[in-house]
Amino acid sequence: MLEQLCPPCAAWVARHPVAARRLLWLAAWSLFFSFLGWISDPIYGPGFCKIYP
């Protein structure tokens, strides 16, 4: 499927499987924390960063 959508991307993933896996994990963690910030209430307290929904 990736070969049909973006042949240069598929070639890069084939040459660099570890880097592609790391990018996938980074994107997954980014989406997870974005979703967490979206559904949580803001946290205010000593030692905590503010999380804005």
Side-chain angles (χ1 to χ4, degrees), residues 20 34 42 48:
S34 296
F48 289 103

Side-chain angles (χ1 to χ4, degrees), residues 2-53:
L2 185 62
E3 293 85 10
Q4 295 172 351
L5 295 175
C6 181
C9 299
W12 185 85
V13 169
R15 282 193 314 264
H16 306 285
V18 175
R21 195 175 318 125
R22 287 180 182 168
L23 284 175
L24 184 62
W25 273 108
L26 182 66
W29 277 111
S30 177
L31 288 173
F32 170 72
F33 283 113
S34 296
F35 179 72
L36 186 63
W38 181 62
I39 63 169
S40 66
D41 292 329
I43 297 174
Y44 303 102
F48 289 103
C49 296
K50 294 179 183 176
I51 300 175
Y52 297 100

